[in-house]
Amino acid sequence: MKSHIRLVSKTGMMLLAAGLTATPILLGSPTAMADELVHREVNQTVQDYGDLIESQYTNPNASGEATGTEKELARLNGVESDQSESSGLTVSNVDVYTTVNSYSTSAEGTSVLSDVTVKRRLTPEPGTTIVIAGEQRDHLDSEYTETHLLELQGTATGGYEVADDTIVNTDGSYSKPDPNPNEEAASTTTSSAAGGDTRFTRPAVYTARTARTYAAGTANRAGLDYIKAMQYAELWTDAAHKDKMNPKYPDYGDNNCTNFVSQAIEAGGLKTTAATVLNRNHEDVWTGFIWGTPKMSTLTWHNVEANYTYMSKHSNAFTVENNVQRIGGGGLVYADWQNDGKYDHAMIVVGYIGRGSKTGPVVCGKSGNTHDIPLADITVKHRGMKWKGLQWKP
């Protein structure tokens, strides 16, 4: 049976990850009126599910008419995936927002692609320290947006309920939250100490002191001031810029993660190289603006794998650190969503959460917008994936 879809995203573009197809609708017809009912009920169901995720933080028993399956999914995608409490942080002021991008109805059920945004205030408990962009803070206003594929059961007239919830990664693959993060700590990074905790690790010798010792305006030998890079990442992922990209640079739509990392590194002072359309795919050139072209960047600027190659081999600004929990401020984190050896996502470390002599990174990024998120909260939401990273080199 052919799927029937209405698009309700702000961009008007259909996400192809779910393989949805469109069927025209005649306004004023019985089909159009029935579709309007589906449209309304789908949006209401997704909104209610977002409210349920939010309620799991404060009052998990106040779940209204939610089914057992819905409550379990809400816990897994909310407070169960939140590593804050065990990391020495108190969670407050939780808000969850949902936006339906597209949906498809068929005889098998209704599939919905929805952006889910979770905003939290994280406050350190006694003995815990938050350092962002070289400054100690008394809290984090942490916010991130992910695309979810929600499977609904039921009908528009009888009511829908959420039967499954899967995270859609930037490459179109899927992830599930890990209900037992500590049991699989070794599988979340390319290299982890046996029995280590995914939230914290003992940092590299200089990682622990970077945010305490190196002042703003202090660049490494390659000219990269990691404080300025982190400040850029903080600015362009905050509440005022979460849906924006710096118009100075090329915009790659839903694939801006590495483009954004490159912008932050350039803002930190790392010099770009000259490039033309002839050598734009070479591993030893890096720029957001190829000479003679309108906002065209090199492959190393916007592609995850190429960026890692350039930054690790040619920038002289970083050293390789495969245990991402050891990466300090100004470092870069790369994610392999499918654990297939191909890295698909990049973020920049903007600081850390510290408990005693151990730390856990805090990251910012784009696609979707990620602002001041403890890296542990991301690793636990993507079971079985792999990570690698680059450490800022003094």
Side-chain angles (χ1 to χ4, degrees), residues 188-219:
T188 59
T189 60
T190 302
S191 172
S192 293
D197 191 320
T198 57
R199 294 180 296 276
F200 292 108
T201 186
R202 190 173 299 279
V205 175
Y206 64 82
T207 306
R209 75 167 187 258
T210 52
R212 303 182 180 98
T213 304
Y214 296 101
T218 301

mmCIF file of all heavy atoms in Angstrom, residues 188-219:
data_model
loop_
_atom_site.group_PDB
_atom_site.id
_atom_site.type_symbol
_atom_site.label_atom_id
_atom_site.label_comp_id
_atom_site.label_asym_id
_atom_site.label_seq_id
_atom_site.Cartn_x
_atom_site.Cartn_y
_atom_site.Cartn_z
ATOM 1 N N THR A 188 32.156 2.186 23.675
ATOM 2 C CA THR A 188 31.724 3.523 23.267
ATOM 3 C C THR A 188 32.863 4.379 22.758
ATOM 4 O O THR A 188 32.648 5.433 22.204
ATOM 5 C CB THR A 188 31.049 4.263 24.435
ATOM 6 O OG1 THR A 188 31.968 4.371 25.524
ATOM 7 C CG2 THR A 188 29.805 3.527 24.887
ATOM 8 N N THR A 189 34.096 3.933 22.941
ATOM 9 C CA THR A 189 35.242 4.669 22.432
ATOM 10 C C THR A 189 36.163 3.705 21.722
ATOM 11 O O THR A 189 36.105 2.493 21.906
ATOM 12 C CB THR A 189 36.023 5.370 23.562
ATOM 13 O OG1 THR A 189 36.475 4.372 24.476
ATOM 14 C CG2 THR A 189 35.171 6.377 24.281
ATOM 15 N N THR A 190 37.042 4.251 20.903
ATOM 16 C CA THR A 190 38.008 3.405 20.223
ATOM 17 C C THR A 190 38.950 2.765 21.221
ATOM 18 O O THR A 190 39.422 1.658 21.054
ATOM 19 C CB THR A 190 38.803 4.233 19.199
ATOM 20 O OG1 THR A 190 37.873 4.816 18.289
ATOM 21 C CG2 THR A 190 39.778 3.385 18.430
ATOM 22 N N SER A 191 39.248 3.482 22.287
ATOM 23 C CA SER A 191 40.144 2.963 23.305
ATOM 24 C C SER A 191 39.685 3.427 24.664
ATOM 25 O O SER A 191 39.562 4.617 24.905
ATOM 26 C CB SER A 191 41.575 3.457 23.037
ATOM 27 O OG SER A 191 42.437 3.126 24.101
ATOM 28 N N SER A 192 39.407 2.501 25.569
ATOM 29 C CA SER A 192 39.002 2.838 26.919
ATOM 30 C C SER A 192 39.723 1.943 27.900
ATOM 31 O O SER A 192 40.035 0.796 27.595
ATOM 32 C CB SER A 192 37.487 2.643 27.102
ATOM 33 O OG SER A 192 36.761 3.563 26.333
ATOM 34 N N ALA A 193 39.972 2.471 29.087
ATOM 35 C CA ALA A 193 40.568 1.644 30.120
ATOM 36 C C ALA A 193 39.572 0.580 30.538
ATOM 37 O O ALA A 193 38.379 0.822 30.624
ATOM 38 C CB ALA A 193 40.956 2.513 31.316
ATOM 39 N N ALA A 194 40.059 -0.615 30.793
ATOM 40 C CA ALA A 194 39.175 -1.701 31.200
ATOM 41 C C ALA A 194 38.431 -1.318 32.459
ATOM 42 O O ALA A 194 39.007 -0.870 33.427
ATOM 43 C CB ALA A 194 39.993 -2.968 31.429
ATOM 44 N N GLY A 195 37.105 -1.509 32.408
ATOM 45 C CA GLY A 195 36.307 -1.202 33.587
ATOM 46 C C GLY A 195 36.098 0.277 33.802
ATOM 47 O O GLY A 195 35.607 0.683 34.844
ATOM 48 N N GLY A 196 36.437 1.126 32.824
ATOM 49 C CA GLY A 196 36.327 2.567 33.001
ATOM 50 C C GLY A 196 34.891 3.037 32.994
ATOM 51 O O GLY A 196 33.987 2.333 32.557
ATOM 52 N N ASP A 197 34.680 4.239 33.464
ATOM 53 C CA ASP A 197 33.357 4.849 33.524
ATOM 54 C C ASP A 197 33.208 5.769 32.336
ATOM 55 O O ASP A 197 34.078 6.589 32.059
ATOM 56 C CB ASP A 197 33.228 5.639 34.832
ATOM 57 C CG ASP A 197 31.804 6.087 35.100
ATOM 58 O OD1 ASP A 197 31.135 6.483 34.140
ATOM 59 O OD2 ASP A 197 31.401 6.051 36.268
ATOM 60 N N THR A 198 32.090 5.650 31.587
ATOM 61 C CA THR A 198 31.905 6.481 30.401
ATOM 62 C C THR A 198 31.771 7.956 30.741
ATOM 63 O O THR A 198 31.916 8.797 29.865
ATOM 64 C CB THR A 198 30.649 6.039 29.629
ATOM 65 O OG1 THR A 198 29.521 6.098 30.492
ATOM 66 C CG2 THR A 198 30.816 4.632 29.102
ATOM 67 N N ARG A 199 31.489 8.286 31.994
ATOM 68 C CA ARG A 199 31.309 9.688 32.347
ATOM 69 C C ARG A 199 32.631 10.389 32.595
ATOM 70 O O ARG A 199 32.788 11.557 32.287
ATOM 71 C CB ARG A 199 30.424 9.810 33.597
ATOM 72 C CG ARG A 199 29.006 9.351 33.400
ATOM 73 C CD ARG A 199 28.222 9.514 34.680
ATOM 74 N NE ARG A 199 28.739 8.672 35.742
ATOM 75 C CZ ARG A 199 28.408 7.401 35.909
ATOM 76 N NH1 ARG A 199 27.589 6.829 35.056
ATOM 77 N NH2 ARG A 199 28.896 6.701 36.904
ATOM 78 N N PHE A 200 33.582 9.686 33.203
ATOM 79 C CA PHE A 200 34.823 10.320 33.627
ATOM 80 C C PHE A 200 36.023 9.449 33.296
ATOM 81 O O PHE A 200 35.934 8.232 33.225
ATOM 82 C CB PHE A 200 34.831 10.570 35.144
ATOM 83 C CG PHE A 200 33.844 11.597 35.592
ATOM 84 C CD1 PHE A 200 32.714 11.229 36.294
ATOM 85 C CD2 PHE A 200 34.026 12.935 35.299
ATOM 86 C CE1 PHE A 200 31.797 12.166 36.713
ATOM 87 C CE2 PHE A 200 33.115 13.875 35.711
ATOM 88 C CZ PHE A 200 32.001 13.490 36.419
ATOM 89 N N THR A 201 37.163 10.086 33.138
ATOM 90 C CA THR A 201 38.420 9.374 33.018
ATOM 91 C C THR A 201 39.512 10.265 33.564
ATOM 92 O O THR A 201 39.358 11.481 33.660
ATOM 93 C CB THR A 201 38.720 9.007 31.551
ATOM 94 O OG1 THR A 201 39.883 8.183 31.506
ATOM 95 C CG2 THR A 201 38.956 10.236 30.705
ATOM 96 N N ARG A 202 40.639 9.657 33.909
ATOM 97 C CA ARG A 202 41.778 10.465 34.317
ATOM 98 C C ARG A 202 42.347 11.109 33.061
ATOM 99 O O ARG A 202 42.716 10.419 32.130
ATOM 100 C CB ARG A 202 42.837 9.597 35.004
ATOM 101 C CG ARG A 202 43.941 10.407 35.671
ATOM 102 C CD ARG A 202 44.848 9.492 36.470
ATOM 103 N NE ARG A 202 44.123 8.790 37.528
ATOM 104 C CZ ARG A 202 43.823 9.337 38.701
ATOM 105 N NH1 ARG A 202 44.153 10.597 38.959
ATOM 106 N NH2 ARG A 202 43.157 8.651 39.607
ATOM 107 N N PRO A 203 42.430 12.423 33.002
ATOM 108 C CA PRO A 203 42.825 13.094 31.765
ATOM 109 C C PRO A 203 44.304 12.962 31.469
ATOM 110 O O PRO A 203 45.097 12.586 32.326
ATOM 111 C CB PRO A 203 42.459 14.560 32.042
ATOM 112 C CG PRO A 203 42.560 14.686 33.533
ATOM 113 C CD PRO A 203 42.118 13.355 34.085
ATOM 114 N N ALA A 204 44.656 13.262 30.225
ATOM 115 C CA ALA A 204 46.067 13.339 29.869
ATOM 116 C C ALA A 204 46.738 14.407 30.737
ATOM 117 O O ALA A 204 46.084 15.288 31.275
ATOM 118 C CB ALA A 204 46.204 13.689 28.382
ATOM 119 N N VAL A 205 48.052 14.327 30.856
ATOM 120 C CA VAL A 205 48.779 15.173 31.811
ATOM 121 C C VAL A 205 48.437 16.646 31.655
ATOM 122 O O VAL A 205 48.144 17.333 32.623
ATOM 123 C CB VAL A 205 50.296 14.963 31.643
ATOM 124 C CG1 VAL A 205 51.057 15.930 32.546
ATOM 125 C CG2 VAL A 205 50.674 13.534 31.999
ATOM 126 N N TYR A 206 48.440 17.163 30.420
ATOM 127 C CA TYR A 206 48.204 18.593 30.258
ATOM 128 C C TYR A 206 46.735 18.934 30.069
ATOM 129 O O TYR A 206 46.344 20.091 30.162
ATOM 130 C CB TYR A 206 49.015 19.155 29.083
ATOM 131 C CG TYR A 206 48.640 18.597 27.737
ATOM 132 C CD1 TYR A 206 47.567 19.095 27.031
ATOM 133 C CD2 TYR A 206 49.378 17.570 27.174
ATOM 134 C CE1 TYR A 206 47.228 18.582 25.795
ATOM 135 C CE2 TYR A 206 49.054 17.048 25.941
ATOM 136 C CZ TYR A 206 47.982 17.560 25.255
ATOM 137 O OH TYR A 206 47.649 17.051 24.039
ATOM 138 N N THR A 207 45.896 17.933 29.796
ATOM 139 C CA THR A 207 44.482 18.218 29.575
ATOM 140 C C THR A 207 43.850 18.843 30.803
ATOM 141 O O THR A 207 43.073 19.779 30.720
ATOM 142 C CB THR A 207 43.725 16.942 29.219
ATOM 143 O OG1 THR A 207 44.368 16.326 28.106
ATOM 144 C CG2 THR A 207 42.292 17.238 28.879
ATOM 145 N N ALA A 208 44.175 18.324 31.965
ATOM 146 C CA ALA A 208 43.563 18.809 33.199
ATOM 147 C C ALA A 208 43.939 20.244 33.504
ATOM 148 O O ALA A 208 43.210 20.946 34.182
ATOM 149 C CB ALA A 208 43.966 17.916 34.365
ATOM 150 N N ARG A 209 45.067 20.691 32.988
ATOM 151 C CA ARG A 209 45.506 22.030 33.354
ATOM 152 C C ARG A 209 45.228 23.074 32.283
ATOM 153 O O ARG A 209 45.412 24.260 32.522
ATOM 154 C CB ARG A 209 47.002 22.025 33.677
ATOM 155 C CG ARG A 209 47.927 21.936 32.473
ATOM 156 C CD ARG A 209 49.374 22.257 32.893
ATOM 157 N NE ARG A 209 50.250 22.353 31.751
ATOM 158 C CZ ARG A 209 51.088 21.401 31.363
ATOM 159 N NH1 ARG A 209 51.159 20.267 32.032
ATOM 160 N NH2 ARG A 209 51.854 21.571 30.304
ATOM 161 N N THR A 210 44.782 22.647 31.083
ATOM 162 C CA THR A 210 44.630 23.628 30.013
ATOM 163 C C THR A 210 43.698 24.764 30.396
ATOM 164 O O THR A 210 44.023 25.927 30.225
ATOM 165 C CB THR A 210 44.108 22.963 28.722
ATOM 166 O OG1 THR A 210 42.942 22.209 29.027
ATOM 167 C CG2 THR A 210 45.152 22.071 28.111
ATOM 168 N N ALA A 211 42.518 24.429 30.919
ATOM 169 C CA ALA A 211 41.546 25.472 31.243
ATOM 170 C C ALA A 211 41.951 26.266 32.475
ATOM 171 O O ALA A 211 41.406 27.329 32.729
ATOM 172 C CB ALA A 211 40.172 24.850 31.468
ATOM 173 N N ARG A 212 42.914 25.772 33.227
ATOM 174 C CA ARG A 212 43.323 26.481 34.425
ATOM 175 C C ARG A 212 44.588 27.309 34.194
ATOM 176 O O ARG A 212 44.839 28.286 34.888
ATOM 177 C CB ARG A 212 43.588 25.470 35.553
ATOM 178 C CG ARG A 212 42.410 24.579 35.879
ATOM 179 C CD ARG A 212 42.767 23.660 37.034
ATOM 180 N NE ARG A 212 41.669 22.770 37.386
ATOM 181 C CZ ARG A 212 41.571 21.520 36.963
ATOM 182 N NH1 ARG A 212 42.498 21.021 36.186
ATOM 183 N NH2 ARG A 212 40.542 20.777 37.320
ATOM 184 N N THR A 213 45.428 26.867 33.253
ATOM 185 C CA THR A 213 46.751 27.457 33.088
ATOM 186 C C THR A 213 46.852 28.397 31.897
ATOM 187 O O THR A 213 47.409 29.485 31.996
ATOM 188 C CB THR A 213 47.800 26.346 32.946
ATOM 189 O OG1 THR A 213 47.711 25.494 34.079
ATOM 190 C CG2 THR A 213 49.202 26.931 32.870
ATOM 191 N N TYR A 214 46.307 27.987 30.751
ATOM 192 C CA TYR A 214 46.478 28.774 29.534
ATOM 193 C C TYR A 214 45.401 29.847 29.435
ATOM 194 O O TYR A 214 44.218 29.553 29.377
ATOM 195 C CB TYR A 214 46.432 27.863 28.304
ATOM 196 C CG TYR A 214 47.574 26.883 28.279
ATOM 197 C CD1 TYR A 214 47.381 25.575 28.674
ATOM 198 C CD2 TYR A 214 48.852 27.278 27.900
ATOM 199 C CE1 TYR A 214 48.422 24.663 28.670
ATOM 200 C CE2 TYR A 214 49.903 26.381 27.892
ATOM 201 C CZ TYR A 214 49.677 25.077 28.282
ATOM 202 O OH TYR A 214 50.712 24.181 28.283
ATOM 203 N N ALA A 215 45.799 31.089 29.411
ATOM 204 C CA ALA A 215 44.856 32.202 29.375
ATOM 205 C C ALA A 215 44.447 32.496 27.938
ATOM 206 O O ALA A 215 45.110 32.102 26.987
ATOM 207 C CB ALA A 215 45.490 33.437 29.991
ATOM 208 N N ALA A 216 43.329 33.205 27.787
ATOM 209 C CA ALA A 216 42.896 33.639 26.457
ATOM 210 C C ALA A 216 44.001 34.483 25.833
ATOM 211 O O ALA A 216 44.634 35.293 26.493
ATOM 212 C CB ALA A 216 41.606 34.434 26.566
ATOM 213 N N GLY A 217 44.194 34.310 24.547
ATOM 214 C CA GLY A 217 45.257 35.036 23.865
ATOM 215 C C GLY A 217 46.529 34.221 23.780
ATOM 216 O O GLY A 217 47.486 34.632 23.139
ATOM 217 N N THR A 218 46.557 33.054 24.406
ATOM 218 C CA THR A 218 47.708 32.163 24.338
ATOM 219 C C THR A 218 47.455 31.124 23.263
ATOM 220 O O THR A 218 46.603 30.256 23.434
ATOM 221 C CB THR A 218 47.962 31.458 25.686
ATOM 222 O OG1 THR A 218 48.178 32.443 26.693
ATOM 223 C CG2 THR A 218 49.168 30.543 25.600
ATOM 224 N N ALA A 219 48.162 31.231 22.163
ATOM 225 C CA ALA A 219 47.993 30.298 21.060
ATOM 226 C C ALA A 219 49.101 29.257 21.093
ATOM 227 O O ALA A 219 50.184 29.483 21.642
ATOM 228 C CB ALA A 219 48.010 31.041 19.732
#
